[in-house]
Amino acid sequence: MTKIFLTVSLIIASVLGVSAQPFEGKIVFTISFPSITDPQTASMLPKEATAYYKKGKSRMEMNMAMGMKQTTISDSETKKATVLMDMMGQKYAIETDQNSEDEKKAKEMADKAKVKVTGETKKIAGYTCKKAIVTYKDPEQENKEVEMNIWFTDEIQADKGYMTGPMSKIDGAVLEYSVDQGAMSMVLSAKSVNKESVPDQMFEIPAEYKKMTQEELQKMMGGR
């Protein structure tokens, strides 16, 4: 289950990493998982994500079941993203950066990804969005292609920030995203966009979070 939580956080972080610039404010996204049919698993997953943006930085918050909360903070200047996990008072910080092996693989995927911008448009949270189809090789199965449907807007200027994956090729801010990776299909869509002042403290990593790798966390949780 921990692996699912981390996968969700990192996938969503890749979307929210397109930090709006000079946009400063908050975007609230709804989240659904069409491939998750088990009611118990579905009840554990987030239904909503709230993202905050300011000067090339982003912060995404999600609440899980059983008192678990996940926050992902990314910074385009340091080129790092940190997933903060609060599991009933036990707090851990999982950090990645663009020099890691995972991020190098993400950059390689982006280089090989194909982007097709269609003629379709629709309104999302008050913004006119264009549809793009991004196709790339599945990192887990090299012979399999993954297709993402992305709706993006150029009405919000986008700073690619921390982005290194296939979505770094999208020329705009992503407001809706759907991907089917078999066991993990997900749809994320903005329901509100609010321009507002965001405190700098929102993007600081709290000292009480213990730093560890994703592998260390999964091992601690029994590899689940």
Side-chain angles (χ1 to χ4, degrees):
M1 184 60 68
T2 300
K3 185 176 181 180
I4 292 178
F5 290 161
L6 283 170
T7 300
V8 171
S9 288
L10 294 173
I11 290 176
I12 295 177
S14 73
V15 183
L16 306 184
V18 185
S19 51
Q21 181 71 281
F23 172 81
E24 179 179 346
K26 176 175 73 174
I27 301 179
V28 179
F29 296 86
T30 59
I31 311 170
S32 61
F33 301 88
S35 62
I36 304 296
T37 57
D38 176 59
Q40 184 176 2
T41 301
S43 69
M44 301 281 287
L45 294 170
K47 305 295 188 297
E48 193 171 276
T50 301
Y52 299 87
Y53 300 99
K54 183 176 185 177
K55 297 179 180 178
K57 296 181 180 180
S58 66
R59 174 191 177 99
M60 179 273 294
E61 300 176 350
M62 296 187 301
N63 291 318
M64 304 285 194
M66 299 188 301
M68 179 181 286
K69 181 177 181 180
Q70 292 193 44
T71 300
T72 304
I73 297 173
S74 62
D75 188 327
S76 64
E77 184 175 347
T78 62
K79 301 187 184 303
K80 291 183 178 181
T82 302
V83 178
L84 304 177
M85 298 186 66
D86 185 343
M87 299 184 289
M88 294 177 287
Q90 296 193 45
K91 300 179 179 181
Y92 305 100
I94 300 90
E95 184 179 276
T96 64
D97 63 59
Q98 288 187 344
N99 294 318
S100 70
E101 287 302 315
D102 286 343
E103 292 304 318
K104 288 177 182 177
K105 289 180 182 178
K107 186 179 185 304
E108 185 178 343
M109 276 197 301
D111 292 340
K112 296 179 180 179
K114 300 175 183 177
V115 179
K116 177 183 178 182
V117 178
T118 73
E120 296 179 66
T121 63
K122 70 175 179 178
K123 286 277 189 179
I124 300 175
Y127 290 86
T128 300
C129 295
K130 303 173 186 177
K131 182 180 180 181
I133 300 172
V134 179
T135 307
Y136 63 95
K137 295 290 185 181
D138 188 329
E140 303 296 329
Q141 303 178 55
E142 291 187 5
N143 294 326
K144 179 183 177 183
E145 284 195 336
V146 177
E147 185 175 283
M148 297 187 294
N149 291 315
I150 295 171
W151 294 87
F152 67 97
T153 181
D154 54 15
E155 294 176 9
I156 300 174
Q157 286 183 284
D159 170 13
K160 291 301 192 297
Y162 176 73
M163 299 264 308
T164 57
M167 262 183 284
S168 63
K169 289 192 170 184
I170 298 297
D171 188 19
V174 176
L175 293 186
E176 186 171 298
Y177 158 92
S178 64
V179 63
D180 186 353
Q181 292 182 309
M184 178 59 71
S185 64
M186 184 176 69
V187 179
L188 180 142
S189 183
K191 71 174 185 178
S192 65
V193 177
N194 299 302
K195 295 180 180 180
E196 60 187 50
S197 178
V198 180
D200 291 337
Q201 291 85 347
M202 295 282 286
F203 308 101
E204 296 176 358
I205 308 301
E208 67 267 25
Y209 280 77
K210 179 182 178 181
K211 292 184 179 180
M212 63 170 56
T213 65
Q214 180 176 341
E215 291 74 20
E216 289 172 337
L217 181 63
Q218 288 181 206
K219 185 177 180 180
M220 183 187 73
M221 300 296 291
R224 289 175 291 176

